[in-house]
Amino acid sequence: MMPLACDAPFWQPPLMQHRLSTYLLLALLCLPLATAHAQKNQAAGNKGNPSQAKDGKNRDSGKAEPEKDPELAQYGIYENEAPNPKQVEPAETTLPLQLSQGTRIAYVGNTLLDRAQDFAVFETMLHQAHPEAELFIRNFAWSADEIDLQPRPDNFATVAQHLTREKIDVIFAAFGFNESFAGEARLDEFKGRLTTYLDGLRRSAFNGETGPQIVLISPTANENAAGVQGAEMNNQRLAAYTAAMAEVAAEMKVGFVDVFAATKSAMSDKNTDLTINGVHLNRRGYDVFSEKLFSATFDQSAPAVDEAIREVLVDKNKQYFRRYRPLNTFYYTGGRNKRYGYLDFLPAMRNFEIMTSNREQRAQAMARGETFDSPVVDDNLPELDEVSEGRGANEWLSPADELAAFTVDPRFEVNCFASEEDFPEVACPIQMRWDARGRLWVACSTTYPHVYPGQEPNDKIVILEDTDWDGKADKCTTFADDVHIPLSLALTERGAYVSEEPHLTLLEDTDGDGRADKRTKLLTGFGTEDSHHALHDFVWTPDGDLLFREAIFHNSQVETAYGPIRAKNSAWFTYRPSNQKVTSFGNYPNTNPWGVTFDDWGHHVASHPVFAAAFHSQNPPYPQQQPKAAGIAAYSGVCGHEFVDFASWPEEMQGHMIKVRYKPTNRVEIHQWVKNDDHWGEKYVSDLIFSKNLSFIPVDLRYGPRGAMYVCDWYNPIKGHAQYSLRDSRRDRKSGRIWRIVPKGAE
């Protein structure tokens, strides 16, 4: 197999006849070598290498721990601490609904209302129709939620606890779509589940006094779209579930709005698309949905949407989303919140709440007829509290000095292909992909580990070119500069699929000017528990699927036209663009793997910082997992790898594996495949690059044109995520290097 110098989506060379979509028993060829062999072989490999400095995380910085303001505790919302609502006599809801001064409204349910925050059409109508009411509206919907199946990060407060904290009076609840995939034969079971849910909801005094007013919303209709026959697959079943919901709502004396019929009627216009994928609404779809929801709820025509108010509310929803569903929730609510969660998160939670309120107040004022010449100014935000910096940092070096700190295998030459000195846009590079024109696309994130109040993501996808073929980039183009922690990317015809947890996004250049001008949130609901190993490792399979994965702590539930896809605590996924179908497989307890490639037979070969040999991963039904692999030795910190099969590389290395590793030592390693009695494993051979400077953090490697190998260097004196405060001010947000490795004498 000769690796291509492009990231072609439908690459299928000879021998790759194995269909990766048949994942019943999948061999995960996990690459880290056995601990005993690792210690022996790496010790031998390090002979002659100058020793590295002691890792900064093991040194005391001498800085005192900051005090924790006890007032911040109110901004932590945890399942094991947050209050639940008191129980009262059940409330009844009649339509048309009446909203009084200061009514506090919540959205709950599935992706229909989760995605509604991106458009804020119905929310805008509510404010415009009630200009003096000063409505309070918060969105607690979550992709693929069902009435009694709502997976969340560890110790994440329940929806009921969030509703109690916000003293909610009125609830708009969207369910039925994901439940419908159980089929019409289970309608009675669904009605029982819905009855239990609504009875509990209407007896809960979230506002402290009375049960809430409830408006239950049916699923929208599906339409036939390119590659997705949503209407044919789902509408008959959705109609049956809508009728069942209406029946239960009447029995339980709650409001009910049938948006299925209205959207189905609108979808009969063959010249109008109301969805992005046959299921999930686009802006025009939300216009239709919102007009019907409003008219049925209030028995009056919906007001024409004021776009200026809507834009303010979209921004408001964005700020609250960052409060309600922040990245790195395992550090906020989960097992790591005791070390850094208090000062890292709670001041930010406070400020996001203030920013949300500022925008809501602006929208309320605009609904009353006030005009403004400038955007919202958040001049009432307190400064974020200081965080711990008790651990030391590693030494920062310039690109030239870092190169001098490399010990390089004498068979190879290394040069800096690109760095922040030449192109500041290359700061904090994460992953790389080559295109068919010999250009290197690099995903960069200075926002990592997550966005903070008052900031907006400004991460980049940049394209590097070596136009004179001298082995050094001389041109840098920014394809996109508003991306949010792009852990990975995969190239497609007009742009790139990009990880923007919890979303899978498609960025496209529709006018050919080299910059992304169209953004589509294709899928949402992937886990956000730890932003350094969320949705990542994008690569095209030999049969044209997009392969990617996530790792430990994560809970994902993704709504699709074929039903919800759920995974717990690590999983692999494929996405087929032709029909937008998602498959989850290979779910087993692991830690935080990075790096995947394919062998000649189409098997995907994946790095893993725990297991050291091949094993078969079966796929038990969610939420079960294959048992943890036991008795298999390990090491950690692998971030990417490639087989050696370019003729320009030394003959004795052919068939070997090159991999990058960032801990506990930082190096580019050479490994040999070894056939054992019952499996294949690997044997450490030597280092291609050994760095004496621990700020060298290799996180990806790729072959480029003419067989050169390129190493993506997230250069940073702060190494680690659990070891340092996420908001540690010493995190480097300016440096980034791409190293080029070439066998001596290669043309």
Side-chain angles (χ1 to χ4, degrees):
M1 176 187 70
M2 289 295 289
L4 297 182
C6 65
D7 195 25
F10 298 105
W11 167 39
Q12 190 161 357
L15 302 180
M16 290 199 172
Q17 305 302 319
H18 172 71
R19 293 284 299 178
L20 292 173
S21 57
T22 61
Y23 296 115
L24 299 178
L25 281 176
L26 180 76
L28 296 181
L29 303 181
C30 300
L31 300 182
L33 67 163
T35 302
H37 290 299
Q39 293 171 346
K40 177 181 178 181
N41 291 323
Q42 289 178 9
N46 285 336
K47 289 180 180 179
N49 280 331
S51 61
Q52 288 172 310
K54 186 177 181 181
D55 198 338
K57 71 177 184 291
N58 299 317
R59 299 194 307 267
D60 190 330
S61 70
K63 294 186 178 180
E65 289 293 303
E67 294 184 4
K68 297 179 179 179
D69 182 353
E71 291 296 315
L72 292 172
Q74 63 185 297
Y75 299 102
I77 313 176
Y78 311 111
E79 184 179 19
N80 62 2
E81 296 178 9
N84 285 290
K86 72 177 183 179
Q87 298 299 291
V88 294
E89 287 298 310
E92 297 182 4
T93 305
T94 57
L95 301 183
L97 192 66
Q98 302 295 319
L99 302 182
S100 58
Q101 174 70 24
T103 297
R104 300 173 75 86
I105 299 170
Y107 294 175
V108 302
N110 56 35
T111 307
L112 176 61
L113 290 181
D114 182 22
R115 282 177 57 89
Q117 65 191 302
D118 298 338
F119 301 92
V121 177
F122 181 64
E123 187 174 352
T124 303
M125 293 175 175
L126 289 175
H127 282 289
Q128 288 184 239
H130 305 85
E132 302 299 328
E134 297 184 329
L135 301 177
F136 174 100
I137 304 173
R138 297 293 180 268
N139 194 324
F140 301 104
W142 200 293
S143 172
D145 261 6
E146 297 186 21
I147 47 183
D148 51 9
L149 180 57
Q150 300 177 1
R152 295 294 188 266
D154 288 353
N155 202 28
F156 194 94
T158 65
V159 172
Q161 289 173 313
H162 279 94
L163 297 176
T164 302
R165 184 178 188 271
E166 302 302 344
K167 300 179 173 58
I168 295 301
D169 305 305
V170 174
I171 296 173
F172 288 91
F175 291 103
F177 176 75
N178 297 288
E179 293 89 341
S180 76
F181 288 94
E184 294 181 54
R186 297 177 67 178
L187 270 171
D188 288 343
E189 178 185 329
F190 168 69
K191 288 192 287 186
R193 294 167 62 196
L194 183 58
T195 298
T196 300
Y197 172 77
L198 291 175
D199 187 55
L201 202 63
R202 67 195 189 120
R203 293 176 183 272
S204 298
F206 300 114
N207 63 12
E209 299 177 0
T210 61
Q213 298 290 287
I214 302 168
V215 179
L216 182 64
I217 306 169
S218 79
T220 58
N222 289 186
E223 66 181 355
N224 292 332
V228 184
Q229 300 301 298
E232 294 180 16
M233 291 191 301
N234 300 330
N235 276 351
Q236 178 178 331
R237 190 179 64 254
L238 289 172
Y241 273 74
T242 295
M245 293 175 72
E247 180 183 330
V248 172
E251 292 175 356
M252 300 302 296
K253 295 182 172 57
V254 303
F256 176 71
V257 176
D258 176 4
V259 295
F260 176 83
T263 50
K264 184 179 180 184
S265 176
M267 288 171 181
S268 65
D269 182 354
K270 303 299 183 182
N271 297 316
T272 304
D273 292 328
L274 298 186
T275 68
I276 63 168
N277 55 6
V279 175
H280 298 122
L281 302 177
N282 57 21
R283 168 60 198 276
R284 176 57 188 148
Y286 273 105
D287 286 343
V288 173
F289 161 77
S290 301
E291 288 164 7
K292 175 59 180 178
L293 179 57
F294 186 93
S295 63
T297 301
F298 299 104
D299 194 24
Q300 64 185 63
S301 298
V305 171
D306 185 316
E307 284 298 309
I309 298 176
R310 189 185 71 84
E311 289 176 4
V312 171
L313 290 171
V314 168
D315 188 24
K316 166 241 169 185
N317 290 336
K318 180 169 57 177
Q319 303 306 326
Y320 191 72
F321 187 85
R322 294 168 182 168
R323 190 272 177 267
Y324 175 51
R325 296 175 60 178
L327 304 192
N328 295 300
T329 45
F330 196 68
Y331 299 77
Y332 166 40
T333 66
R336 288 178 177 158
N337 82 313
K338 297 302 181 184
R339 184 171 182 85
Y340 296 120
Y342 198 97
L343 293 176
D344 261 312
F345 282 91
L346 302 192
M349 301 297 99
R350 173 198 62 204
N351 286 11
F352 278 132
E353 289 188 8
I354 294 171
M355 294 178 70
T356 300
S357 180
N358 289 346
R359 283 147 185 78
E360 191 160 60
Q361 291 174 26
R362 170 65 63 87
Q364 293 166 353
M366 294 172 71
R368 293 192 299 268
E370 297 182 38
T371 59
F372 299 88
D373 297 327
S374 60
V376 175
V377 177
D378 298 301
D379 53 6
N380 56 342
L381 293 185
E383 292 291 328
L384 296 180
D385 298 55
E386 292 185 8
V387 295
S388 173
E389 293 184 1
R391 295 176 183 265
N394 293 314
E395 181 184 13
W396 184 93
L397 299 176
S398 68
D401 289 339
E402 185 188 6
L403 178 59
F406 288 165
T407 299
V408 179
D409 184 306
R411 295 170 293 181
F412 294 89
E413 295 176 343
V414 176
N415 71 279
C416 186
F417 180 73
S419 78
E420 75 278 5
E421 289 184 346
D422 307 301
F423 307 110
E425 303 95 322
V426 182
C428 302
I430 301 176
Q431 279 203 332
M432 313 176 295
R433 297 291 184 267
W434 289 91
D435 69 15
R437 295 165 56 183
R439 304 181 306 170
L440 183 62
W441 294 55
V442 186
C444 305
S445 178
T446 57
T447 304
Y448 174 86
H450 53 235
V451 71
Y452 285 96
Q455 302 174 353
E456 287 299 320
N458 59 355
D459 296 336
K460 296 176 174 62
I461 306 294
V462 301
I463 305 172
L464 297 171
E465 297 180 66
D466 176 7
T467 62
D468 57 8
W469 296 95
D470 67 348
K472 185 174 175 61
D474 46 53
K475 181 180 180 181
C476 179
T477 304
T478 298
F479 178 74
D481 59 7
D482 59 351
V483 190
H484 188 197
I485 310 185
L487 291 187
S488 194
L489 78 160
L491 306 185
T492 187
E493 183 178 6
R494 298 193 303 184
Y497 292 94
V498 179
S499 167
E500 291 189 290
E501 55 190 288
H503 317 307
L504 170 63
T505 302
L506 176 60
L507 299 179
E508 296 177 276
D509 170 17
T510 63
D511 58 11
D513 68 351
R515 287 187 61 88
D517 51 54
K518 182 180 179 182
R519 175 190 296 269
T520 305
K521 185 195 297 183
L522 295 174
L523 299 168
T524 188
F526 294 101
T528 61
E529 281 81 342
D530 195 327
S531 68
H532 93 284
H533 55 65
L535 196 63
H536 69 282
D537 263 349
F538 287 15
V539 63
W540 291 107
T541 70
D543 52 353
D545 291 344
L546 183 62
L547 177 73
F548 46 89
R549 62 173 161 179
E550 60 184 5
I552 195 169
F553 314 141
H554 286 254
N555 292 271
S556 287
Q557 51 172 21
V558 180
E559 214 171 274
T560 79
Y562 308 91
I565 301 296
R566 295 188 173 90
K568 181 177 179 62
N569 206 30
S570 80
W572 288 89
F573 303 91
T574 56
Y575 170 76
R576 177 156 292 185
S578 60
N579 61 12
Q580 302 198 46
K581 191 168 187 177
V582 179
T583 302
S584 173
F585 66 96
N587 303 334
Y588 66 99
N590 63 19
T591 53
N592 47 0
W594 280 83
V596 61
T597 190
F598 290 88
D599 70 8
D600 287 342
W601 300 99
H603 299 120
H604 80 273
V605 183
S607 291
H608 195 303
V610 173
F611 306 126
F615 70 96
H616 292 274
S617 178
Q618 302 181 44
N619 300 309
Y622 175 87
Q624 300 176 43
Q625 285 193 305
Q626 173 178 291
K628 181 183 296 186
I632 301 178
Y635 72 55
S636 67
V638 173
C639 286
H641 51 276
E642 289 282 8
F643 288 105
V644 176
D645 53 7
F646 272 98
S648 58
W649 282 59
E651 181 178 355
E652 65 273 16
M653 292 180 63
Q654 297 300 312
H656 284 28
M657 179 75 74
I658 309 298
K659 62 175 62 176
V660 292
R661 184 176 173 215
Y662 73 93
K663 69 173 186 178
T665 56
N666 300 27
R667 60 177 81 198
V668 180
E669 299 176 343
I670 304 169
H671 289 258
Q672 177 185 4
W673 284 105
V674 178
K675 189 177 188 310
N676 298 308
D677 291 339
D678 59 351
H679 68 280
W680 286 84
E682 59 175 328
K683 177 182 179 182
Y684 170 85
V685 176
S686 61
D687 295 330
L688 202 163
I689 296 176
F690 177 90
S691 177
K692 297 184 290 294
N693 177 231
L694 281 165
S695 295
F696 171 54
I697 304 179
V699 292
D700 193 18
L701 84 165
R702 296 280 158 178
Y703 280 114
R706 300 184 294 178
M709 181 172 280
Y710 294 76
V711 174
C712 184
D713 180 6
W714 174 284
Y715 191 79
N716 208 306
I718 297 295
K719 185 176 72 171
H721 47 284
Q723 294 82 3
Y724 292 88
S725 164
L726 298 178
R727 196 155 46 84
D728 194 308
S729 63
R730 296 169 296 174
R731 290 186 184 274
D732 190 305
R733 302 184 191 279
K734 296 181 179 179
S735 302
R737 290 91 192 257
I738 309 294
W739 301 102
R740 176 175 174 266
I741 303 172
V742 181
K744 289 181 177 178
E747 295 183 0

